[in-house]
Amino acid sequence: VNLRALTSWVGIARLFAVVLSCLAFSLVASTGHFGGPYGTWCMFTWCFCFTVTLLVLLLELLELYPLLPLSWDDFTSAFSMLAALMVFTSSVIFPATFISSPCSSNQCARQAVATTASCLCFLAYAVEVALTRAKPGDISSFLSTVPGLLKVFEAYVACLIFSLLDEYNGEPGLMWCVAVYSICFIFTLLIIIFTIGRCLAYIPCPLEKMLVGYNFLALLMYLTATVLWPLYSFRGRSRPDPCGRNCWWNKHLGVTFLTIFNLIAYLVDLVYSTRMVFV
């Protein structure tokens, strides 16, 4: 038994994440008010993060993780980054969707406490990401470096874009943007999977330079999408009135901002990857 898995700073952050995610989904489940796609997503996020984090703690406590056919450090780094992003999204979506003003009922109080627990859970995962991030010069675990963490961020933002895509058929410019999102997501996801599965060594080319080339191409592709998506989405089309929760205009605006976020992420990724390889 490795008690350091629970007493180290990383272990303490994971314990807080387990307790807070459990508190969040338990309180929301007790209200019985979490229907619809947004509520389902929030409940899935808290349950998924609780289950995987608890499993990570048990595997490290019993020292069973070396038996797994994967890079443990890469897996835990990627998961903590993914969990931080997922819980952050849920911490924003849940109160915006389910908490109404004024908040005076017992159900609303439980929802507010669940939201607070979710925000603290995000902080716990963010602390874990900061504690496990590779120090300058340490590249033993790629997904714990800044480019590796950005790969997880880029893939997650692409998933958010896919969830908002609506009414893009028939417009060549919009179809090109969807192709950009799909191609970059697939290649980024393959890099993450191959890294965790220890398969990158079998690629018959200089991996570091290949990643720099891929980041450069992805940056150019996202640059075109950043221009074409709002151009073809809003050209000659004003915002409907009223524009409800599922309004196409709001979804296209969300895709526009997420595209800009991923453009910035690929730019930073390219800068860091270039420094790691050539500097």
Side-chain angles (χ1 to χ4, degrees), residues 171 230-239 248-249:
E171 287 284 359
L231 177 65
Y232 281 89
S233 293
F234 305 114
R235 184 179 56 182
R237 306 173 73 185
S238 59
R239 187 176 190 270
W248 67 266
W249 198 91

Side-chain angles (χ1 to χ4, degrees), residues 45 128 160 173 243 273:
T45 295
E128 182 183 350
L160 295 180
C243 188
S273 298

Side-chain angles (χ1 to χ4, degrees), residues 151 155 184-195 214:
K151 289 286 184 292
C184 294
F185 169 74
I186 291 172
F187 276 95
T188 302
L189 185 62
L190 287 176
I191 291 172
I192 295 172
I193 293 174
F194 284 177
T195 302
Y214 163 69

Side-chain angles (χ1 to χ4, degrees), residues 95 98-113 115:
F98 293 97
I99 298 181
S100 57
S101 181
C103 182
S104 56
S105 64
N106 179 267
Q107 173 181 290
C108 185
R110 281 180 283 176
Q111 291 173 334
V113 175
T115 302

Side-chain angles (χ1 to χ4, degrees), residues 40-276:
T40 303
W41 162 256
C42 293
M43 285 294 286
F44 167 77
T45 295
W46 295 321
C47 294
F48 171 75
C49 294
F50 166 79
T51 304
V52 177
T53 306
L54 184 61
L55 182 62
V56 168
L57 281 172
L58 289 175
L59 289 174
E60 291 204 347
L61 179 65
L62 301 177
E63 295 189 327
L64 296 176
Y65 64 90
L67 302 176
L68 300 176
L70 50 81
S71 174
W72 183 252
D73 290 338
D74 284 309
F75 170 74
T76 53
S77 297
F79 169 73
S80 59
M81 182 65 176
L82 176 63
L85 294 171
M86 292 175 66
V87 174
F88 174 78
T89 306
S90 298
S91 301
V92 175
I93 290 177
F94 183 78
T97 306
F98 293 97
I99 298 181
S100 57
S101 181
C103 182
S104 56
S105 64
N106 179 267
Q107 173 181 290
C108 185
R110 281 180 283 176
Q111 291 173 334
V113 175
T115 302
T116 304
S118 182
C119 294
L120 294 175
C121 185
F122 159 70
L123 292 178
Y125 281 117
V127 169
E128 182 183 350
V129 171
L131 291 173
T132 58
R133 187 174 70 85
K135 304 301 185 293
D138 179 15
I139 56 174
S140 58
S141 173
F142 171 69
L143 292 181
S144 64
T145 63
V146 173
L149 295 174
L150 284 172
K151 289 286 184 292
V152 180
F153 177 84
E154 292 154 4
Y156 182 75
V157 171
C159 289
L160 295 180
I161 290 175
F162 293 144
S163 69
L164 295 175
L165 288 179
D166 189 19
E167 298 182 12
Y168 61 86
N169 289 325
E171 287 284 359
L174 296 183
M175 294 178 70
W176 162 253
C177 294
V178 175
V180 168
Y181 304 142
S182 302
I183 293 171
C184 294
F185 169 74
I186 291 172
F187 276 95
T188 302
L189 185 62
L190 287 176
I191 291 172
I192 295 172
I193 293 174
F194 284 177
T195 302
I196 294 175
R198 297 176 178 173
C199 299
L200 293 177
Y202 299 104
I203 298 178
C205 58
L207 176 63
E208 296 82 2
K209 295 181 179 179
M210 185 193 72
L211 290 177
V212 172
Y214 163 69
N215 289 332
F216 180 72
L217 291 176
L219 177 64
L220 293 180
M221 293 172 69
Y222 259 91
L223 184 61
T224 62
T226 303
V227 176
L228 294 177
W229 181 265
L231 177 65
Y232 281 89
S233 293
F234 305 114
R235 184 179 56 182
R237 306 173 73 185
S238 59
R239 187 176 190 270
D241 187 20
C243 188
R245 182 182 300 169
N246 294 318
C247 177
W248 67 266
W249 198 91
N250 288 342
K251 291 182 178 180
H252 284 215
L253 183 64
V255 172
T256 300
F257 279 104
L258 290 173
T259 303
I260 295 173
F261 291 158
N262 247 3
L263 174 69
I264 297 172
Y266 277 109
L267 175 61
V268 177
D269 195 353
L270 176 62
V271 171
Y272 269 89
S273 298
T274 304
R275 288 182 58 189
M276 287 175 64

